[in-house]
PDB file of all heavy atoms in Angstrom:
ATOM      1  N   LEU A   1       2.769  -1.684  -7.941  1.00 94.00           N
ATOM      2  CA  LEU A   1       3.513  -0.556  -8.504  1.00 94.00           C
ATOM      3  C   LEU A   1       3.877   0.485  -7.455  1.00 94.00           C
ATOM      4  O   LEU A   1       4.645   1.417  -7.742  1.00 94.00           O
ATOM      5  CB  LEU A   1       2.700   0.105  -9.626  1.00 94.00           C
ATOM      6  CG  LEU A   1       2.432  -0.753 -10.863  1.00 94.00           C
ATOM      7  CD1 LEU A   1       1.725   0.058 -11.936  1.00 94.00           C
ATOM      8  CD2 LEU A   1       3.739  -1.328 -11.406  1.00 94.00           C
ATOM      9  N   VAL A   2       3.352   0.361  -6.251  1.00 95.00           N
ATOM     10  CA  VAL A   2       3.744   1.285  -5.187  1.00 95.00           C
ATOM     11  C   VAL A   2       5.225   1.076  -4.840  1.00 95.00           C
ATOM     12  O   VAL A   2       5.890   1.969  -4.325  1.00 95.00           O
ATOM     13  CB  VAL A   2       2.855   1.092  -3.930  1.00 95.00           C
ATOM     14  CG1 VAL A   2       3.174  -0.212  -3.218  1.00 95.00           C
ATOM     15  CG2 VAL A   2       3.004   2.284  -2.997  1.00 95.00           C
ATOM     16  N   ASN A   3       5.730  -0.107  -5.149  1.00 94.00           N
ATOM     17  CA  ASN A   3       7.139  -0.441  -4.907  1.00 94.00           C
ATOM     18  C   ASN A   3       7.592  -1.401  -6.010  1.00 94.00           C
ATOM     19  O   ASN A   3       7.727  -2.604  -5.780  1.00 94.00           O
ATOM     20  CB  ASN A   3       7.295  -1.083  -3.528  1.00 94.00           C
ATOM     21  CG  ASN A   3       8.755  -1.332  -3.162  1.00 94.00           C
ATOM     22  OD1 ASN A   3       9.668  -0.840  -3.823  1.00 94.00           O
ATOM     23  ND2 ASN A   3       8.971  -2.118  -2.121  1.00 94.00           N
ATOM     24  N   PRO A   4       7.804  -0.883  -7.227  1.00 90.00           N
ATOM     25  CA  PRO A   4       8.049  -1.738  -8.400  1.00 90.00           C
ATOM     26  C   PRO A   4       9.179  -2.740  -8.243  1.00 90.00           C
ATOM     27  O   PRO A   4       9.080  -3.867  -8.739  1.00 90.00           O
ATOM     28  CB  PRO A   4       8.368  -0.721  -9.506  1.00 90.00           C
ATOM     29  CG  PRO A   4       7.704   0.534  -9.069  1.00 90.00           C
ATOM     30  CD  PRO A   4       7.829   0.549  -7.579  1.00 90.00           C
ATOM     31  N   ARG A   5      10.238  -2.378  -7.564  1.00 88.00           N
ATOM     32  CA  ARG A   5      11.389  -3.272  -7.468  1.00 88.00           C
ATOM     33  C   ARG A   5      11.363  -4.179  -6.243  1.00 88.00           C
ATOM     34  O   ARG A   5      11.961  -5.258  -6.260  1.00 88.00           O
ATOM     35  CB  ARG A   5      12.687  -2.455  -7.457  1.00 88.00           C
ATOM     36  CG  ARG A   5      12.950  -1.724  -8.766  1.00 88.00           C
ATOM     37  CD  ARG A   5      14.320  -1.056  -8.737  1.00 88.00           C
ATOM     38  NE  ARG A   5      14.615  -0.387  -9.996  1.00 88.00           N
ATOM     39  CZ  ARG A   5      15.745   0.261 -10.261  1.00 88.00           C
ATOM     40  NH1 ARG A   5      16.686   0.328  -9.316  1.00 88.00           N
ATOM     41  NH2 ARG A   5      15.940   0.848 -11.427  1.00 88.00           N
ATOM     42  N   GLY A   6      10.694  -3.738  -5.196  1.00 89.00           N
ATOM     43  CA  GLY A   6      10.777  -4.503  -3.957  1.00 89.00           C
ATOM     44  C   GLY A   6       9.454  -4.981  -3.401  1.00 89.00           C
ATOM     45  O   GLY A   6       9.375  -5.347  -2.229  1.00 89.00           O
ATOM     46  N   PHE A   7       8.392  -5.012  -4.218  1.00 91.00           N
ATOM     47  CA  PHE A   7       7.088  -5.420  -3.710  1.00 91.00           C
ATOM     48  C   PHE A   7       7.117  -6.890  -3.292  1.00 91.00           C
ATOM     49  O   PHE A   7       7.565  -7.761  -4.047  1.00 91.00           O
ATOM     50  CB  PHE A   7       6.011  -5.207  -4.766  1.00 91.00           C
ATOM     51  CG  PHE A   7       4.622  -5.537  -4.285  1.00 91.00           C
ATOM     52  CD1 PHE A   7       3.914  -4.642  -3.502  1.00 91.00           C
ATOM     53  CD2 PHE A   7       4.027  -6.744  -4.612  1.00 91.00           C
ATOM     54  CE1 PHE A   7       2.645  -4.942  -3.053  1.00 91.00           C
ATOM     55  CE2 PHE A   7       2.751  -7.053  -4.174  1.00 91.00           C
ATOM     56  CZ  PHE A   7       2.054  -6.146  -3.392  1.00 91.00           C
ATOM     57  N   ASP A   8       6.634  -7.164  -2.098  1.00 89.00           N
ATOM     58  CA  ASP A   8       6.558  -8.525  -1.564  1.00 89.00           C
ATOM     59  C   ASP A   8       5.107  -8.803  -1.187  1.00 89.00           C
ATOM     60  O   ASP A   8       4.618  -8.326  -0.161  1.00 89.00           O
ATOM     61  CB  ASP A   8       7.472  -8.656  -0.344  1.00 89.00           C
ATOM     62  CG  ASP A   8       7.478 -10.077   0.222  1.00 89.00           C
ATOM     63  OD1 ASP A   8       6.745 -10.936  -0.298  1.00 89.00           O
ATOM     64  OD2 ASP A   8       8.229 -10.324   1.186  1.00 89.00           O
ATOM     65  N   ALA A   9       4.431  -9.579  -2.015  1.00 89.00           N
ATOM     66  CA  ALA A   9       3.007  -9.840  -1.794  1.00 89.00           C
ATOM     67  C   ALA A   9       2.758 -10.551  -0.476  1.00 89.00           C
ATOM     68  O   ALA A   9       1.704 -10.375   0.142  1.00 89.00           O
ATOM     69  CB  ALA A   9       2.440 -10.660  -2.948  1.00 89.00           C
ATOM     70  N   THR A  10       3.721 -11.349  -0.016  1.00 88.00           N
ATOM     71  CA  THR A  10       3.513 -12.106   1.216  1.00 88.00           C
ATOM     72  C   THR A  10       3.615 -11.230   2.454  1.00 88.00           C
ATOM     73  O   THR A  10       3.089 -11.575   3.516  1.00 88.00           O
ATOM     74  CB  THR A  10       4.543 -13.243   1.325  1.00 88.00           C
ATOM     75  OG1 THR A  10       5.869 -12.673   1.363  1.00 88.00           O
ATOM     76  CG2 THR A  10       4.434 -14.188   0.139  1.00 88.00           C
ATOM     77  N   ALA A  11       4.290 -10.089   2.330  1.00 90.00           N
ATOM     78  CA  ALA A  11       4.483  -9.217   3.497  1.00 90.00           C
ATOM     79  C   ALA A  11       3.588  -7.979   3.469  1.00 90.00           C
ATOM     80  O   ALA A  11       3.454  -7.294   4.485  1.00 90.00           O
ATOM     81  CB  ALA A  11       5.952  -8.787   3.580  1.00 90.00           C
ATOM     82  N   PHE A  12       2.971  -7.707   2.327  1.00 93.00           N
ATOM     83  CA  PHE A  12       2.172  -6.486   2.177  1.00 93.00           C
ATOM     84  C   PHE A  12       0.869  -6.613   2.965  1.00 93.00           C
ATOM     85  O   PHE A  12       0.123  -7.580   2.801  1.00 93.00           O
ATOM     86  CB  PHE A  12       1.876  -6.252   0.700  1.00 93.00           C
ATOM     87  CG  PHE A  12       1.400  -4.854   0.384  1.00 93.00           C
ATOM     88  CD1 PHE A  12       2.286  -3.790   0.379  1.00 93.00           C
ATOM     89  CD2 PHE A  12       0.070  -4.610   0.088  1.00 93.00           C
ATOM     90  CE1 PHE A  12       1.862  -2.506   0.084  1.00 93.00           C
ATOM     91  CE2 PHE A  12      -0.376  -3.337  -0.211  1.00 93.00           C
ATOM     92  CZ  PHE A  12       0.523  -2.280  -0.213  1.00 93.00           C
ATOM     93  N   ARG A  13       0.574  -5.629   3.830  1.00 92.00           N
ATOM     94  CA  ARG A  13      -0.623  -5.662   4.666  1.00 92.00           C
ATOM     95  C   ARG A  13      -1.300  -4.284   4.650  1.00 92.00           C
ATOM     96  O   ARG A  13      -0.637  -3.251   4.669  1.00 92.00           O
ATOM     97  CB  ARG A  13      -0.264  -6.021   6.111  1.00 92.00           C
ATOM     98  CG  ARG A  13       0.327  -7.404   6.283  1.00 92.00           C
ATOM     99  CD  ARG A  13      -0.731  -8.490   6.106  1.00 92.00           C
ATOM    100  NE  ARG A  13      -0.185  -9.803   6.367  1.00 92.00           N
ATOM    101  CZ  ARG A  13       0.412 -10.563   5.457  1.00 92.00           C
ATOM    102  NH1 ARG A  13       0.528 -10.116   4.212  1.00 92.00           N
ATOM    103  NH2 ARG A  13       0.888 -11.755   5.762  1.00 92.00           N
ATOM    104  N   LEU A  14      -2.623  -4.312   4.648  1.00 93.00           N
ATOM    105  CA  LEU A  14      -3.383  -3.061   4.676  1.00 93.00           C
ATOM    106  C   LEU A  14      -4.306  -2.961   5.888  1.00 93.00           C
ATOM    107  O   LEU A  14      -5.041  -1.992   6.011  1.00 93.00           O
ATOM    108  CB  LEU A  14      -4.195  -2.924   3.382  1.00 93.00           C
ATOM    109  CG  LEU A  14      -3.379  -2.729   2.102  1.00 93.00           C
ATOM    110  CD1 LEU A  14      -4.271  -2.800   0.869  1.00 93.00           C
ATOM    111  CD2 LEU A  14      -2.630  -1.397   2.143  1.00 93.00           C
ATOM    112  N   ASP A  15      -4.270  -3.954   6.757  1.00 89.00           N
ATOM    113  CA  ASP A  15      -5.157  -3.958   7.916  1.00 89.00           C
ATOM    114  C   ASP A  15      -4.377  -4.291   9.188  1.00 89.00           C
ATOM    115  O   ASP A  15      -4.359  -5.440   9.636  1.00 89.00           O
ATOM    116  CB  ASP A  15      -6.284  -4.979   7.694  1.00 89.00           C
ATOM    117  CG  ASP A  15      -7.324  -4.929   8.805  1.00 89.00           C
ATOM    118  OD1 ASP A  15      -7.421  -3.871   9.460  1.00 89.00           O
ATOM    119  OD2 ASP A  15      -8.017  -5.945   9.006  1.00 89.00           O
ATOM    120  N   PRO A  16      -3.746  -3.283   9.789  1.00 91.00           N
ATOM    121  CA  PRO A  16      -3.692  -1.881   9.341  1.00 91.00           C
ATOM    122  C   PRO A  16      -2.442  -1.649   8.487  1.00 91.00           C
ATOM    123  O   PRO A  16      -1.490  -2.431   8.568  1.00 91.00           O
ATOM    124  CB  PRO A  16      -3.598  -1.111  10.652  1.00 91.00           C
ATOM    125  CG  PRO A  16      -2.782  -2.039  11.528  1.00 91.00           C
ATOM    126  CD  PRO A  16      -3.195  -3.447  11.146  1.00 91.00           C
ATOM    127  N   PRO A  17      -2.420  -0.561   7.729  1.00 93.00           N
ATOM    128  CA  PRO A  17      -1.212  -0.235   6.965  1.00 93.00           C
ATOM    129  C   PRO A  17      -0.158   0.357   7.898  1.00 93.00           C
ATOM    130  O   PRO A  17      -0.450   1.261   8.678  1.00 93.00           O
ATOM    131  CB  PRO A  17      -1.708   0.807   5.951  1.00 93.00           C
ATOM    132  CG  PRO A  17      -2.883   1.449   6.619  1.00 93.00           C
ATOM    133  CD  PRO A  17      -3.525   0.379   7.450  1.00 93.00           C
ATOM    134  N   THR A  18       1.060  -0.143   7.818  1.00 94.00           N
ATOM    135  CA  THR A  18       2.105   0.342   8.720  1.00 94.00           C
ATOM    136  C   THR A  18       3.279   0.971   7.971  1.00 94.00           C
ATOM    137  O   THR A  18       3.827   1.973   8.437  1.00 94.00           O
ATOM    138  CB  THR A  18       2.623  -0.795   9.612  1.00 94.00           C
ATOM    139  OG1 THR A  18       3.065  -1.884   8.778  1.00 94.00           O
ATOM    140  CG2 THR A  18       1.525  -1.310  10.531  1.00 94.00           C
ATOM    141  N   THR A  19       3.658   0.403   6.832  1.00 95.00           N
ATOM    142  CA  THR A  19       4.790   0.958   6.090  1.00 95.00           C
ATOM    143  C   THR A  19       4.332   2.143   5.242  1.00 95.00           C
ATOM    144  O   THR A  19       3.133   2.352   5.021  1.00 95.00           O
ATOM    145  CB  THR A  19       5.409  -0.097   5.170  1.00 95.00           C
ATOM    146  OG1 THR A  19       4.492  -0.410   4.109  1.00 95.00           O
ATOM    147  CG2 THR A  19       5.729  -1.371   5.943  1.00 95.00           C
ATOM    148  N   GLU A  20       5.302   2.884   4.734  1.00 95.00           N
ATOM    149  CA  GLU A  20       4.985   4.041   3.881  1.00 95.00           C
ATOM    150  C   GLU A  20       4.239   3.605   2.627  1.00 95.00           C
ATOM    151  O   GLU A  20       3.269   4.253   2.214  1.00 95.00           O
ATOM    152  CB  GLU A  20       6.274   4.770   3.487  1.00 95.00           C
ATOM    153  CG  GLU A  20       6.047   5.971   2.579  1.00 95.00           C
ATOM    154  CD  GLU A  20       7.345   6.621   2.138  1.00 95.00           C
ATOM    155  OE1 GLU A  20       8.419   6.193   2.610  1.00 95.00           O
ATOM    156  OE2 GLU A  20       7.285   7.553   1.308  1.00 95.00           O
ATOM    157  N   HIS A  21       4.673   2.503   2.031  1.00 96.00           N
ATOM    158  CA  HIS A  21       4.018   2.018   0.818  1.00 96.00           C
ATOM    159  C   HIS A  21       2.579   1.583   1.095  1.00 96.00           C
ATOM    160  O   HIS A  21       1.665   1.858   0.312  1.00 96.00           O
ATOM    161  CB  HIS A  21       4.815   0.861   0.211  1.00 96.00           C
ATOM    162  CG  HIS A  21       6.143   1.274  -0.345  1.00 96.00           C
ATOM    163  ND1 HIS A  21       7.295   0.576  -0.110  1.00 96.00           N
ATOM    164  CD2 HIS A  21       6.489   2.327  -1.123  1.00 96.00           C
ATOM    165  CE1 HIS A  21       8.313   1.162  -0.716  1.00 96.00           C
ATOM    166  NE2 HIS A  21       7.846   2.228  -1.339  1.00 96.00           N
ATOM    167  N   GLU A  22       2.384   0.885   2.200  1.00 96.00           N
ATOM    168  CA  GLU A  22       1.036   0.441   2.567  1.00 96.00           C
ATOM    169  C   GLU A  22       0.119   1.625   2.835  1.00 96.00           C
ATOM    170  O   GLU A  22      -1.054   1.620   2.453  1.00 96.00           O
ATOM    171  CB  GLU A  22       1.110  -0.471   3.791  1.00 96.00           C
ATOM    172  CG  GLU A  22       1.798  -1.803   3.513  1.00 96.00           C
ATOM    173  CD  GLU A  22       2.129  -2.569   4.774  1.00 96.00           C
ATOM    174  OE1 GLU A  22       2.018  -1.986   5.881  1.00 96.00           O
ATOM    175  OE2 GLU A  22       2.545  -3.736   4.665  1.00 96.00           O
ATOM    176  N   GLN A  23       0.650   2.659   3.460  1.00 96.00           N
ATOM    177  CA  GLN A  23      -0.159   3.845   3.756  1.00 96.00           C
ATOM    178  C   GLN A  23      -0.522   4.600   2.479  1.00 96.00           C
ATOM    179  O   GLN A  23      -1.627   5.145   2.370  1.00 96.00           O
ATOM    180  CB  GLN A  23       0.609   4.748   4.726  1.00 96.00           C
ATOM    181  CG  GLN A  23       0.710   4.160   6.133  1.00 96.00           C
ATOM    182  CD  GLN A  23       1.687   4.906   7.018  1.00 96.00           C
ATOM    183  OE1 GLN A  23       2.313   5.883   6.590  1.00 96.00           O
ATOM    184  NE2 GLN A  23       1.849   4.455   8.255  1.00 96.00           N
ATOM    185  N   LYS A  24       0.388   4.633   1.511  1.00 96.00           N
ATOM    186  CA  LYS A  24       0.074   5.269   0.233  1.00 96.00           C
ATOM    187  C   LYS A  24      -1.095   4.575  -0.447  1.00 96.00           C
ATOM    188  O   LYS A  24      -2.026   5.215  -0.941  1.00 96.00           O
ATOM    189  CB  LYS A  24       1.298   5.241  -0.688  1.00 96.00           C
ATOM    190  CG  LYS A  24       2.376   6.249  -0.366  1.00 96.00           C
ATOM    191  CD  LYS A  24       3.492   6.170  -1.400  1.00 96.00           C
ATOM    192  CE  LYS A  24       4.565   7.211  -1.140  1.00 96.00           C
ATOM    193  NZ  LYS A  24       5.655   7.123  -2.143  1.00 96.00           N
ATOM    194  N   VAL A  25      -1.037   3.248  -0.484  1.00 96.00           N
ATOM    195  CA  VAL A  25      -2.117   2.489  -1.110  1.00 96.00           C
ATOM    196  C   VAL A  25      -3.416   2.674  -0.344  1.00 96.00           C
ATOM    197  O   VAL A  25      -4.491   2.825  -0.934  1.00 96.00           O
ATOM    198  CB  VAL A  25      -1.744   0.991  -1.198  1.00 96.00           C
ATOM    199  CG1 VAL A  25      -2.947   0.158  -1.628  1.00 96.00           C
ATOM    200  CG2 VAL A  25      -0.596   0.784  -2.181  1.00 96.00           C
ATOM    201  N   SER A  26      -3.340   2.682   0.978  1.00 96.00           N
ATOM    202  CA  SER A  26      -4.533   2.849   1.806  1.00 96.00           C
ATOM    203  C   SER A  26      -5.217   4.187   1.530  1.00 96.00           C
ATOM    204  O   SER A  26      -6.451   4.257   1.411  1.00 96.00           O
ATOM    205  CB  SER A  26      -4.170   2.731   3.287  1.00 96.00           C
ATOM    206  OG  SER A  26      -5.319   2.860   4.094  1.00 96.00           O
ATOM    207  N   ARG A  27      -4.431   5.241   1.401  1.00 96.00           N
ATOM    208  CA  ARG A  27      -5.001   6.564   1.109  1.00 96.00           C
ATOM    209  C   ARG A  27      -5.647   6.589  -0.270  1.00 96.00           C
ATOM    210  O   ARG A  27      -6.703   7.198  -0.468  1.00 96.00           O
ATOM    211  CB  ARG A  27      -3.918   7.639   1.218  1.00 96.00           C
ATOM    212  CG  ARG A  27      -3.470   7.929   2.648  1.00 96.00           C
ATOM    213  CD  ARG A  27      -2.643   9.204   2.725  1.00 96.00           C
ATOM    214  NE  ARG A  27      -1.388   9.073   1.999  1.00 96.00           N
ATOM    215  CZ  ARG A  27      -0.249   8.649   2.548  1.00 96.00           C
ATOM    216  NH1 ARG A  27      -0.215   8.273   3.824  1.00 96.00           N
ATOM    217  NH2 ARG A  27       0.862   8.604   1.834  1.00 96.00           N
ATOM    218  N   TRP A  28      -5.018   5.909  -1.208  1.00 97.00           N
ATOM    219  CA  TRP A  28      -5.571   5.834  -2.575  1.00 97.00           C
ATOM    220  C   TRP A  28      -6.905   5.084  -2.579  1.00 97.00           C
ATOM    221  O   TRP A  28      -7.864   5.502  -3.233  1.00 97.00           O
ATOM    222  CB  TRP A  28      -4.553   5.150  -3.478  1.00 97.00           C
ATOM    223  CG  TRP A  28      -5.003   4.909  -4.887  1.00 97.00           C
ATOM    224  CD1 TRP A  28      -5.259   5.853  -5.846  1.00 97.00           C
ATOM    225  CD2 TRP A  28      -5.250   3.643  -5.492  1.00 97.00           C
ATOM    226  NE1 TRP A  28      -5.650   5.241  -7.030  1.00 97.00           N
ATOM    227  CE2 TRP A  28      -5.646   3.885  -6.832  1.00 97.00           C
ATOM    228  CE3 TRP A  28      -5.165   2.321  -5.054  1.00 97.00           C
ATOM    229  CZ2 TRP A  28      -5.958   2.858  -7.724  1.00 97.00           C
ATOM    230  CZ3 TRP A  28      -5.460   1.294  -5.932  1.00 97.00           C
ATOM    231  CH2 TRP A  28      -5.861   1.573  -7.250  1.00 97.00           C
ATOM    232  N   LEU A  29      -6.980   4.004  -1.825  1.00 96.00           N
ATOM    233  CA  LEU A  29      -8.226   3.237  -1.741  1.00 96.00           C
ATOM    234  C   LEU A  29      -9.339   4.071  -1.105  1.00 96.00           C
ATOM    235  O   LEU A  29     -10.503   4.002  -1.532  1.00 96.00           O
ATOM    236  CB  LEU A  29      -8.006   1.956  -0.933  1.00 96.00           C
ATOM    237  CG  LEU A  29      -7.033   0.925  -1.531  1.00 96.00           C
ATOM    238  CD1 LEU A  29      -6.806  -0.212  -0.553  1.00 96.00           C
ATOM    239  CD2 LEU A  29      -7.543   0.401  -2.871  1.00 96.00           C
ATOM    240  N   ASP A  30      -8.979   4.845  -0.098  1.00 95.00           N
ATOM    241  CA  ASP A  30      -9.967   5.728   0.548  1.00 95.00           C
ATOM    242  C   ASP A  30     -10.512   6.736  -0.461  1.00 95.00           C
ATOM    243  O   ASP A  30     -11.720   7.034  -0.462  1.00 95.00           O
ATOM    244  CB  ASP A  30      -9.328   6.470   1.723  1.00 95.00           C
ATOM    245  CG  ASP A  30      -9.061   5.563   2.913  1.00 95.00           C
ATOM    246  OD1 ASP A  30      -9.658   4.466   2.958  1.00 95.00           O
ATOM    247  OD2 ASP A  30      -8.247   5.942   3.777  1.00 95.00           O
ATOM    248  N   TYR A  31      -9.625   7.247  -1.312  1.00 95.00           N
ATOM    249  CA  TYR A  31     -10.063   8.202  -2.339  1.00 95.00           C
ATOM    250  C   TYR A  31     -11.049   7.544  -3.304  1.00 95.00           C
ATOM    251  O   TYR A  31     -12.109   8.108  -3.619  1.00 95.00           O
ATOM    252  CB  TYR A  31      -8.861   8.733  -3.112  1.00 95.00           C
ATOM    253  CG  TYR A  31      -9.241   9.518  -4.340  1.00 95.00           C
ATOM    254  CD1 TYR A  31      -9.685  10.836  -4.243  1.00 95.00           C
ATOM    255  CD2 TYR A  31      -9.209   8.925  -5.606  1.00 95.00           C
ATOM    256  CE1 TYR A  31     -10.064  11.550  -5.370  1.00 95.00           C
ATOM    257  CE2 TYR A  31      -9.587   9.635  -6.736  1.00 95.00           C
ATOM    258  CZ  TYR A  31     -10.013  10.940  -6.614  1.00 95.00           C
ATOM    259  OH  TYR A  31     -10.406  11.635  -7.733  1.00 95.00           O
ATOM    260  N   LEU A  32     -10.711   6.336  -3.782  1.00 95.00           N
ATOM    261  CA  LEU A  32     -11.596   5.636  -4.712  1.00 95.00           C
ATOM    262  C   LEU A  32     -12.957   5.382  -4.074  1.00 95.00           C
ATOM    263  O   LEU A  32     -14.006   5.549  -4.715  1.00 95.00           O
ATOM    264  CB  LEU A  32     -10.976   4.297  -5.138  1.00 95.00           C
ATOM    265  CG  LEU A  32      -9.665   4.356  -5.928  1.00 95.00           C
ATOM    266  CD1 LEU A  32      -9.214   2.944  -6.289  1.00 95.00           C
ATOM    267  CD2 LEU A  32      -9.822   5.204  -7.192  1.00 95.00           C
ATOM    268  N   ASN A  33     -12.931   4.986  -2.822  1.00 93.00           N
ATOM    269  CA  ASN A  33     -14.184   4.704  -2.126  1.00 93.00           C
ATOM    270  C   ASN A  33     -15.038   5.957  -1.971  1.00 93.00           C
ATOM    271  O   ASN A  33     -16.263   5.918  -2.084  1.00 93.00           O
ATOM    272  CB  ASN A  33     -13.886   4.099  -0.758  1.00 93.00           C
ATOM    273  CG  ASN A  33     -15.035   3.265  -0.228  1.00 93.00           C
ATOM    274  OD1 ASN A  33     -15.783   2.663  -0.992  1.00 93.00           O
ATOM    275  ND2 ASN A  33     -15.192   3.255   1.083  1.00 93.00           N
TER     276      ASN A  33
END
């Protein structure tokens, strides 16, 4: 849902997060943790 229309599971990476969408999710995960 960070990118409802253009999410690509094969390209999405969080280690490390580089795109704006990946960084948003990374910050959210840090908050949950």
Side-chain angles (χ1 to χ4, degrees):
L1 295 185
V2 72
N3 185 12
R5 294 186 178 181
F7 183 79
D8 182 358
T10 61
F12 196 74
R13 297 288 184 272
L14 293 172
D15 186 23
T18 55
T19 69
E20 179 183 355
H21 292 134
E22 292 168 349
Q23 289 169 0
K24 284 183 178 180
V25 170
S26 181
R27 288 193 295 269
W28 176 67
L29 296 174
D30 288 343
Y31 169 78
L32 296 181
N33 204 31

